[in-house]
């Protein structure tokens, strides 16, 4: 998904300290790597190049929500702990991206070499099968260490046992859902699973909504000392936001202007990505015309434009937009209902996100 | 490595409760998986088939060492916690095996289908590229969840902060070394790194000795309330044992009788595995004759026998045996030196392992 610039109160040049925390962690990891040879050091150096410099959507959301929810906003020790947890969410995100790229065999992300591409570019001369295997393996192994690190950061916080267990439950839930979502995504891509709308929407929710919106909001609620009931309420909000955001992201990939949204025009259509729009189009009479070019590695711009107009013409674009509207409306309803249990202090943070998602229309 | 039947005082039909703990965890995981579709359930069912039934070398060592080191041997709550930690070590082992098989593209382990092979066998008809990708991806994702679970189990124990941090430090160290060792192994296999003896011995130590011997002994020392000095002393012992065990394992692969040791004859030679014997042979005049067949996928029995006799003739077998003897002697020296800090209570456990390794001679 695209980490579009969602405005969040805690945003600052160093993202509320998360950037510094990530730099500190990576420097420590790189220093420790020297005990294991030059290749291990090189892996951590390449990791730093690709991990830093992101938009930090998830940590920023976590910090903004925490600052809104906490009743001790200036307790420095507590906030430093929350910054570490926010960094852990970014580390988890990077671990997922790495394993996603290993699974998909991708060498780029957002038009730049990803870690695999970076490592491959470091090999001199013609790239061999062994070079490609080595680069992919490094990404898999780095993902393993970062997945471990996400757990280590949370587990090391000196918190009351009950609060630590709640954070660990949340991380466990998040990893399980993200992995289950990735399995659905690959099952769709490998044509193991039927490309129906239910499966595509489950995949959307599990693969990204959970860890991108639900987890930061719940972690903030836990660390702000809120009840389990509040945690569940913000979890529901996070799921709606996450599904809306990811569906909007998929729409932009197909219908947006690449110069505005930084998406590679037609790349989803070229890859044959199973999105909600495609699942809808499969059920219409426009499908044979779409199927003729969908997933073609050599899709031309003219063919891409044709696919887009078919997807609009058959109602797929409008259908996905209606799904997004449903999710956004569900958020507004939750915010307006005093019995839903969303703390009023969180309203401005959520309203900012809603405005941003609505403003990203294609 | 082969988990040969190392005798350990805690050994019992259910491995001191570890087997039951693993069954309980897997049943819980499988029940939770139903929320994410039939493929996710199928993955956990296949995982149970391959995860259970192992020899439990690592958990058994941990429990035997704990029972020897603890001064409250009958405190039921403490021992239940140690059983969970022992189960976590087995879960970590399985996560490493899964990612190792993904990296190597293997479909078998010890002559039986591994998880990837099992999932592939479930696909009907001719296996396609997509089927193979799907099976491999499932193994990668299951490894991610199990790696998370190993951390979760340790992090959830309700221990004093200092003791939990020691366990987390140990797990962090173990994951880092195992990943660094796997990187070296792949770098050797992909011919990215020079196949010299130093690199091969580093790989041997990091990839398996750390998590197979050092980690169980250290975890036992921590949970038995022993000092950091004792933990470091048993760590050194674990490294020597682990290197000796893995070198012995490699020797058995090449020179042992398959019917006795359950190793596939010539498989290491056929795969071109960079072992200490091969690294030594490279430095001798026998190398050109060995190189002619080493790593040949179609190695015949006659060629395999020829390679073995070259490796013996050039002194490689005797050299590796001398390395093993060095490691075993270092263990004996540590046990005999009262200043080395190995608690006397641990001596019988270590002596049993030494006897077993010596008894496994090819």
């Amino acid at each position: 998904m695209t980490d579009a610039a969602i405005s969040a109160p805690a945003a600052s040049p160093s993202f509320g300290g998360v950037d510094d925390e990530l730099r500190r962690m990576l420097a420590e990891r790189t220093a420790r790597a020297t005990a294991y040879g030059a290749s291990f050091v090189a892996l951590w150096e390449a990791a730093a190049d690709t991990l830093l410099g992101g938009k930090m959507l998830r940590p920023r959301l976590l910090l903004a929500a925490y600052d809104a929810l906490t009743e001790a906003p200036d307790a420095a020790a507590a906030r430093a702990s929350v910054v570490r947890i926010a960094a852990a969410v970014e580390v988890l995100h990077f671990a997922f991206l790495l394993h996603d790229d290993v699974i998909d065999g991708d060498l780029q992300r957002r038009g730049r070499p990803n870690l695999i591409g970076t490592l491959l570019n470091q090999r001199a001369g013609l790239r061999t099968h062994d070079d490609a295997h080595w680069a992919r393996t490094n990404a898999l192994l780095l993902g393993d260490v970062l997945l471990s690190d996400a757990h280590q950061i949370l587990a090391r916080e000196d918190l009351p046992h009950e609060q630590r267990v709640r954070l660990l439950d949340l991380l466990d839930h998040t990893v399980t859902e993200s992995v289950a979502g990735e399995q659905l995504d690959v099952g769709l891509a490998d044509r193991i699973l039927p490309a129906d709308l239910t499966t595509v929407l489950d995949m959307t929710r599990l693969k990204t909504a959970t860890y991108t919106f639900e987890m930061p909001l719940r972690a903030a609620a836990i660390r702000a000392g809120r009840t389990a009931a509040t945690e569940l309420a913000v979890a529901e909000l996070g799921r709606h936001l996450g599904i809306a955001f990811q569906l909007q992201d998929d729409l932009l990939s197909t219908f947006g202007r690449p110069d505005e949204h930084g998406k590679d025009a037609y790349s989803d259509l070229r890859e044959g990505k199973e999105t909600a729009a495609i699942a809808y189009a499969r059920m219409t009479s426009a499908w044979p015309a779409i199927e003729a070019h969908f997933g073609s590695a050599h899709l031309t711009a003219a063919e891409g434009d044709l696919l887009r107009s078919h997807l609009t013409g058959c109602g797929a674009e409008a259908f996905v937009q209606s799904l997004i509207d449903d999710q956004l409306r569900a958020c507004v309803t939750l915010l307006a209902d005093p019995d839903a249990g969303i703390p009023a202090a969180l309203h401005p943070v959520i309203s900012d996100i809603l405005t941003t998602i609505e403003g990203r229309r294609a």
Side-chain angles (χ1 to χ4, degrees), chain A residues 247-286:
Chain A
L247 289 174
Q248 184 67 271
D249 200 60
D250 289 343
L251 269 194
L252 288 175
S253 288
T254 299
F255 300 101
R257 289 179 45 194
D259 53 339
E260 257 181 47
H261 302 292
K263 309 281 287 191
D264 179 11
Y266 315 124
S267 71
D268 283 2
L269 295 173
R270 197 176 288 124
E271 287 167 21
K273 186 173 170 189
E274 297 292 346
T275 60
I278 294 295
Y280 181 90
R282 279 183 196 279
M283 300 183 290
T284 70
S285 61

Side-chain angles (χ1 to χ4, degrees), chain A residues 152-207:
Chain A
Q152 287 274 340
I153 295 168
L154 258 68
R156 280 165 189 272
E157 293 302 315
D158 191 4
L159 301 172
H161 184 66
E162 180 266 345
Q163 194 172 119
R164 198 181 48 258
V165 168
R166 277 175 72 186
L167 281 176
L168 290 168
D169 282 344
L170 172 58
L171 181 55
D172 179 51
H173 165 80
T174 303
V175 169
T176 302
E177 298 225 319
S178 305
V179 160
E182 178 76 18
Q183 193 204 33
L184 291 179
D185 194 19
V186 174
L188 288 167
D190 287 343
R191 286 164 293 184
I192 306 288
L193 301 175
D196 56 45
L197 192 58
T198 306
T199 306
V200 171
L201 290 177
D202 281 348
M203 183 269 285
T204 300
R205 173 174 59 87
L206 295 170
K207 183 177 169 179

Side-chain angles (χ1 to χ4, degrees), chain A residues 79 117 137 274 325 347:
Chain A
R79 199 166 193 291
T137 299
E274 297 292 346
D325 291 342
H347 287 208

